[in-house]
Amino acid sequence: MRVHVVSDVHGNTEALARAGNGADALVCLGDLVLFLDYADHSRGIFPDLFGRENASRIVELRTARRYEEARAFGASLWQGIDRGAAIESAVRRQYAEMFAAFPTPTYATYGNVDIPGLWKEYAGPGTTVLDGERVEIGGLVFGFVGGGLKSPMRTPYEISDEEYAAKIEAVGEVDVLCTHIPPEVPELVYDTVARRFERGSVALLDAIRRTKPRYALFGHVHQPLVRRMRIGVTECVNVGHFAGSGRPWALEW
């Protein structure tokens, strides 16, 4: 059995269409939407609306952790524009392309920049969406927990630590634990390019230590200090940033 796993697709539809080649199934751990590309400031919903120069300014402020200034600058650009309608329209265009690129079967969960309410409109019969749920693939039990935790970035699908812990608990013991965010381990949550610690989950770390899955797979941190490490008997693997690499991670058994 061979399963390909991707995360943080961020608009890379071309690579996504090839991600399932040679695999029995594809697993996607979220962040399909590309709002702003920190490497190429001309790509994404934000520069499409406001131009590359303004996108570069936002990136500069966020990278310097000047989040309040970034929010104020962004708010000034949105004046006179129906923000919700503009973003939803752009996200719908991206989702239409990306969900059409998913092979059959695909098992997917949400990232922190995704809009869960729209997924049911675009997920076809070959795509199974799971969040706080389990599924058997080739004799192994996979558990899925989507979304991110509350952060200064205020992305669309951020939930409280308590809500996240409840979903981890609902999944229970599995062979492969699939989440969008990593466990709260410094080496796994630090982004070496953004130069900041992203939010990881203590509840996820506790579950890995307690339930001992064979694998814990996640994304979210695009350029982590460490891409894989062992926690007890569990192999923890960062399977993103797919938008940058275009290559899925392969799990075989």
Side-chain angles (χ1 to χ4, degrees):
M1 190 74 181
R2 182 182 178 94
V3 170
H4 286 176
V5 191
V6 302
S7 185
D8 299 83
V9 178
H10 292 303
N12 194 344
T13 308
E14 184 179 347
L16 184 61
R18 302 189 302 267
N21 291 352
D24 297 292
L26 178 71
V27 166
C28 179
L29 303 185
D31 271 10
L32 301 182
V33 172
L34 177 61
F35 189 75
L36 177 57
D37 190 331
Y38 278 55
D40 181 352
H41 304 167
S42 68
R43 298 181 63 244
I45 294 171
F46 191 91
D48 286 349
L49 289 168
F50 303 116
R52 179 171 183 159
E53 184 176 340
N54 287 324
S56 296
R57 178 60 176 159
I58 284 286
V59 170
E60 178 187 351
L61 291 170
R62 288 180 175 176
T63 302
R65 301 180 182 86
R66 293 156 62 184
Y67 299 117
E68 291 301 327
E69 289 180 63
R71 276 192 284 273
F73 178 65
S76 70
L77 296 175
W78 283 105
Q79 285 184 2
I81 300 174
D82 186 335
R83 178 172 182 158
I87 291 177
E88 181 174 324
S89 177
V91 170
R92 284 182 177 278
R93 288 193 297 271
Q94 291 188 12
Y95 277 170
E97 293 180 359
M98 284 182 282
F99 276 92
F102 277 143
T104 297
T106 291
Y107 302 89
T109 196
Y110 318 110
N112 60 292
V113 302
D114 286 310
I115 302 178
L118 297 180
W119 278 39
K120 60 181 176 295
E121 297 183 37
Y122 295 95
T127 299
T128 303
V129 179
L130 304 114
D131 189 14
E133 299 165 284
R134 303 147 55 101
V135 67
E136 184 178 315
I137 305 174
L140 295 185
V141 178
F142 285 64
F144 290 79
V145 175
L149 298 175
K150 299 288 186 182
S151 78
M153 304 297 284
R154 298 183 183 177
T155 50
Y157 190 41
E158 294 182 351
I159 61 176
S160 70
D161 289 62
E162 292 76 18
E163 290 175 276
Y164 195 88
K167 291 197 295 184
I168 291 289
E169 187 66 25
V171 165
E173 294 187 14
V174 295
D175 298 301
V176 185
L177 185 51
C178 299
T179 59
H180 177 67
I181 63 174
E184 181 57 52
V185 177
E187 295 89 340
L188 298 176
V189 300
Y190 185 74
D191 191 304
T192 60
V193 174
R195 302 195 302 276
R196 65 170 179 256
F197 289 96
E198 302 288 355
R199 290 288 323 264
S201 170
V202 173
L204 173 57
L205 177 60
D206 291 344
I208 290 170
R209 288 171 170 162
R210 186 179 69 256
T211 66
K212 301 177 174 59
R214 298 188 195 180
Y215 292 93
L217 309 179
F218 48 86
H220 187 55
V221 182
H222 294 175
Q223 295 90 14
L225 194 62
V226 173
R227 291 201 173 273
R228 61 192 300 163
M229 68 185 300
R230 188 169 289 275
I231 298 175
V233 299
T234 303
E235 188 72 17
C236 299
V237 185
N238 184 314
V239 299
H241 166 232
F242 184 72
S245 71
R247 296 187 301 274
W249 186 78
L251 175 61
E252 294 183 292
W253 68 94

